[in-house]
PDB file of all heavy atoms in Angstrom:
ATOM      1  N   ILE A 189       1.095  10.694  -3.567  1.00 98.00           N
ATOM      2  CA  ILE A 189      -0.303  10.798  -3.998  1.00 98.00           C
ATOM      3  C   ILE A 189      -1.141  11.261  -2.811  1.00 98.00           C
ATOM      4  O   ILE A 189      -1.079  10.667  -1.723  1.00 98.00           O
ATOM      5  CB  ILE A 189      -0.808   9.432  -4.492  1.00 98.00           C
ATOM      6  CG1 ILE A 189       0.102   8.899  -5.612  1.00 98.00           C
ATOM      7  CG2 ILE A 189      -2.254   9.528  -4.951  1.00 98.00           C
ATOM      8  CD1 ILE A 189      -0.005   7.394  -5.817  1.00 98.00           C
ATOM      9  N   GLN A 190      -1.919  12.315  -3.004  1.00 98.00           N
ATOM     10  CA  GLN A 190      -2.687  12.880  -1.896  1.00 98.00           C
ATOM     11  C   GLN A 190      -4.178  12.658  -2.098  1.00 98.00           C
ATOM     12  O   GLN A 190      -4.689  12.713  -3.221  1.00 98.00           O
ATOM     13  CB  GLN A 190      -2.411  14.373  -1.751  1.00 98.00           C
ATOM     14  CG  GLN A 190      -3.061  14.994  -0.524  1.00 98.00           C
ATOM     15  CD  GLN A 190      -2.697  16.454  -0.368  1.00 98.00           C
ATOM     16  OE1 GLN A 190      -2.721  17.216  -1.323  1.00 98.00           O
ATOM     17  NE2 GLN A 190      -2.340  16.851   0.846  1.00 98.00           N
ATOM     18  N   LYS A 191      -4.874  12.404  -1.015  1.00 98.00           N
ATOM     19  CA  LYS A 191      -6.332  12.269  -1.050  1.00 98.00           C
ATOM     20  C   LYS A 191      -6.969  13.593  -0.636  1.00 98.00           C
ATOM     21  O   LYS A 191      -6.865  13.996   0.524  1.00 98.00           O
ATOM     22  CB  LYS A 191      -6.782  11.161  -0.093  1.00 98.00           C
ATOM     23  CG  LYS A 191      -8.299  10.997  -0.028  1.00 98.00           C
ATOM     24  CD  LYS A 191      -8.670   9.944   0.998  1.00 98.00           C
ATOM     25  CE  LYS A 191     -10.177   9.762   1.080  1.00 98.00           C
ATOM     26  NZ  LYS A 191     -10.553   8.714   2.059  1.00 98.00           N
ATOM     27  N   PRO A 192      -7.626  14.295  -1.548  1.00 98.00           N
ATOM     28  CA  PRO A 192      -8.264  15.574  -1.189  1.00 98.00           C
ATOM     29  C   PRO A 192      -9.392  15.373  -0.171  1.00 98.00           C
ATOM     30  O   PRO A 192      -9.985  14.301  -0.070  1.00 98.00           O
ATOM     31  CB  PRO A 192      -8.821  16.071  -2.531  1.00 98.00           C
ATOM     32  CG  PRO A 192      -8.048  15.330  -3.574  1.00 98.00           C
ATOM     33  CD  PRO A 192      -7.741  13.992  -2.977  1.00 98.00           C
ATOM     34  N   GLU A 193      -9.687  16.420   0.566  1.00 97.00           N
ATOM     35  CA  GLU A 193     -10.729  16.352   1.589  1.00 97.00           C
ATOM     36  C   GLU A 193     -12.086  15.981   0.999  1.00 97.00           C
ATOM     37  O   GLU A 193     -12.902  15.334   1.658  1.00 97.00           O
ATOM     38  CB  GLU A 193     -10.838  17.697   2.326  1.00 97.00           C
ATOM     39  CG  GLU A 193      -9.674  17.968   3.260  1.00 97.00           C
ATOM     40  CD  GLU A 193      -9.922  19.169   4.156  1.00 97.00           C
ATOM     41  OE1 GLU A 193     -11.092  19.606   4.242  1.00 97.00           O
ATOM     42  OE2 GLU A 193      -8.958  19.650   4.772  1.00 97.00           O
ATOM     43  N   THR A 194     -12.348  16.402  -0.238  1.00 96.00           N
ATOM     44  CA  THR A 194     -13.664  16.178  -0.836  1.00 96.00           C
ATOM     45  C   THR A 194     -13.737  14.881  -1.636  1.00 96.00           C
ATOM     46  O   THR A 194     -14.778  14.581  -2.218  1.00 96.00           O
ATOM     47  CB  THR A 194     -14.005  17.343  -1.777  1.00 96.00           C
ATOM     48  OG1 THR A 194     -12.969  17.469  -2.776  1.00 96.00           O
ATOM     49  CG2 THR A 194     -14.108  18.646  -1.001  1.00 96.00           C
ATOM     50  N   TYR A 195     -12.656  14.112  -1.647  1.00 97.00           N
ATOM     51  CA  TYR A 195     -12.612  12.898  -2.473  1.00 97.00           C
ATOM     52  C   TYR A 195     -13.487  11.810  -1.866  1.00 97.00           C
ATOM     53  O   TYR A 195     -13.462  11.572  -0.658  1.00 97.00           O
ATOM     54  CB  TYR A 195     -11.172  12.399  -2.572  1.00 97.00           C
ATOM     55  CG  TYR A 195     -10.932  11.389  -3.674  1.00 97.00           C
ATOM     56  CD1 TYR A 195     -10.663  11.803  -4.970  1.00 97.00           C
ATOM     57  CD2 TYR A 195     -10.962  10.022  -3.410  1.00 97.00           C
ATOM     58  CE1 TYR A 195     -10.423  10.874  -5.981  1.00 97.00           C
ATOM     59  CE2 TYR A 195     -10.726   9.090  -4.410  1.00 97.00           C
ATOM     60  CZ  TYR A 195     -10.461   9.529  -5.693  1.00 97.00           C
ATOM     61  OH  TYR A 195     -10.221   8.624  -6.693  1.00 97.00           O
ATOM     62  N   THR A 196     -14.273  11.140  -2.703  1.00 96.00           N
ATOM     63  CA  THR A 196     -15.133  10.061  -2.228  1.00 96.00           C
ATOM     64  C   THR A 196     -14.865   8.786  -3.025  1.00 96.00           C
ATOM     65  O   THR A 196     -14.442   8.832  -4.178  1.00 96.00           O
ATOM     66  CB  THR A 196     -16.621  10.424  -2.362  1.00 96.00           C
ATOM     67  OG1 THR A 196     -16.930  10.664  -3.741  1.00 96.00           O
ATOM     68  CG2 THR A 196     -16.955  11.660  -1.541  1.00 96.00           C
ATOM     69  N   THR A 197     -15.116   7.643  -2.380  1.00 95.00           N
ATOM     70  CA  THR A 197     -15.035   6.346  -3.041  1.00 95.00           C
ATOM     71  C   THR A 197     -16.306   5.566  -2.721  1.00 95.00           C
ATOM     72  O   THR A 197     -17.100   5.960  -1.857  1.00 95.00           O
ATOM     73  CB  THR A 197     -13.816   5.525  -2.560  1.00 95.00           C
ATOM     74  OG1 THR A 197     -14.126   4.933  -1.290  1.00 95.00           O
ATOM     75  CG2 THR A 197     -12.564   6.382  -2.440  1.00 95.00           C
ATOM     76  N   ARG A 198     -16.462   4.427  -3.389  1.00 94.00           N
ATOM     77  CA  ARG A 198     -17.628   3.588  -3.126  1.00 94.00           C
ATOM     78  C   ARG A 198     -17.465   2.754  -1.856  1.00 94.00           C
ATOM     79  O   ARG A 198     -18.369   2.000  -1.491  1.00 94.00           O
ATOM     80  CB  ARG A 198     -17.871   2.673  -4.333  1.00 94.00           C
ATOM     81  CG  ARG A 198     -18.358   3.439  -5.558  1.00 94.00           C
ATOM     82  CD  ARG A 198     -18.348   2.598  -6.802  1.00 94.00           C
ATOM     83  NE  ARG A 198     -16.986   2.303  -7.256  1.00 94.00           N
ATOM     84  CZ  ARG A 198     -16.699   1.813  -8.471  1.00 94.00           C
ATOM     85  NH1 ARG A 198     -17.669   1.587  -9.335  1.00 94.00           N
ATOM     86  NH2 ARG A 198     -15.447   1.578  -8.817  1.00 94.00           N
ATOM     87  N   PHE A 199     -16.331   2.908  -1.176  1.00 96.00           N
ATOM     88  CA  PHE A 199     -16.070   2.118   0.024  1.00 96.00           C
ATOM     89  C   PHE A 199     -15.956   2.984   1.277  1.00 96.00           C
ATOM     90  O   PHE A 199     -15.485   2.518   2.311  1.00 96.00           O
ATOM     91  CB  PHE A 199     -14.780   1.308  -0.165  1.00 96.00           C
ATOM     92  CG  PHE A 199     -14.851   0.356  -1.320  1.00 96.00           C
ATOM     93  CD1 PHE A 199     -14.232   0.668  -2.524  1.00 96.00           C
ATOM     94  CD2 PHE A 199     -15.549  -0.837  -1.216  1.00 96.00           C
ATOM     95  CE1 PHE A 199     -14.304  -0.212  -3.596  1.00 96.00           C
ATOM     96  CE2 PHE A 199     -15.622  -1.720  -2.290  1.00 96.00           C
ATOM     97  CZ  PHE A 199     -14.996  -1.410  -3.481  1.00 96.00           C
ATOM     98  N   ASP A 200     -16.412   4.219   1.193  1.00 97.00           N
ATOM     99  CA  ASP A 200     -16.243   5.138   2.320  1.00 97.00           C
ATOM    100  C   ASP A 200     -16.966   4.674   3.586  1.00 97.00           C
ATOM    101  O   ASP A 200     -16.567   5.035   4.698  1.00 97.00           O
ATOM    102  CB  ASP A 200     -16.714   6.539   1.945  1.00 97.00           C
ATOM    103  CG  ASP A 200     -15.779   7.222   0.952  1.00 97.00           C
ATOM    104  OD1 ASP A 200     -14.672   6.701   0.722  1.00 97.00           O
ATOM    105  OD2 ASP A 200     -16.166   8.261   0.396  1.00 97.00           O
ATOM    106  N   ASP A 201     -18.022   3.881   3.429  1.00 96.00           N
ATOM    107  CA  ASP A 201     -18.772   3.396   4.592  1.00 96.00           C
ATOM    108  C   ASP A 201     -18.502   1.917   4.875  1.00 96.00           C
ATOM    109  O   ASP A 201     -19.148   1.337   5.755  1.00 96.00           O
ATOM    110  CB  ASP A 201     -20.277   3.606   4.364  1.00 96.00           C
ATOM    111  CG  ASP A 201     -20.637   5.073   4.249  1.00 96.00           C
ATOM    112  OD1 ASP A 201     -20.040   5.887   4.984  1.00 96.00           O
ATOM    113  OD2 ASP A 201     -21.497   5.412   3.411  1.00 96.00           O
ATOM    114  N   PHE A 202     -17.566   1.338   4.157  1.00 96.00           N
ATOM    115  CA  PHE A 202     -17.287  -0.086   4.315  1.00 96.00           C
ATOM    116  C   PHE A 202     -16.429  -0.312   5.561  1.00 96.00           C
ATOM    117  O   PHE A 202     -15.313   0.189   5.661  1.00 96.00           O
ATOM    118  CB  PHE A 202     -16.558  -0.610   3.071  1.00 96.00           C
ATOM    119  CG  PHE A 202     -16.359  -2.107   3.058  1.00 96.00           C
ATOM    120  CD1 PHE A 202     -17.218  -2.918   2.340  1.00 96.00           C
ATOM    121  CD2 PHE A 202     -15.311  -2.701   3.756  1.00 96.00           C
ATOM    122  CE1 PHE A 202     -17.043  -4.292   2.319  1.00 96.00           C
ATOM    123  CE2 PHE A 202     -15.127  -4.068   3.742  1.00 96.00           C
ATOM    124  CZ  PHE A 202     -15.995  -4.870   3.021  1.00 96.00           C
ATOM    125  N   GLN A 203     -16.972  -1.058   6.505  1.00 96.00           N
ATOM    126  CA  GLN A 203     -16.253  -1.337   7.745  1.00 96.00           C
ATOM    127  C   GLN A 203     -15.388  -2.588   7.582  1.00 96.00           C
ATOM    128  O   GLN A 203     -15.678  -3.454   6.754  1.00 96.00           O
ATOM    129  CB  GLN A 203     -17.239  -1.531   8.891  1.00 96.00           C
ATOM    130  CG  GLN A 203     -18.060  -0.294   9.201  1.00 96.00           C
ATOM    131  CD  GLN A 203     -17.186   0.877   9.629  1.00 96.00           C
ATOM    132  OE1 GLN A 203     -16.338   0.747  10.504  1.00 96.00           O
ATOM    133  NE2 GLN A 203     -17.394   2.030   8.999  1.00 96.00           N
TER     134      GLN A 203
END
Side-chain angles (χ1 to χ4, degrees):
I189 304 160
Q190 186 177 45
K191 178 183 180 179
E193 288 190 15
T194 57
Y195 195 85
T196 61
T197 79
R198 290 169 290 194
F199 300 102
D200 289 349
D201 296 322
F202 187 99
Q203 297 299 310

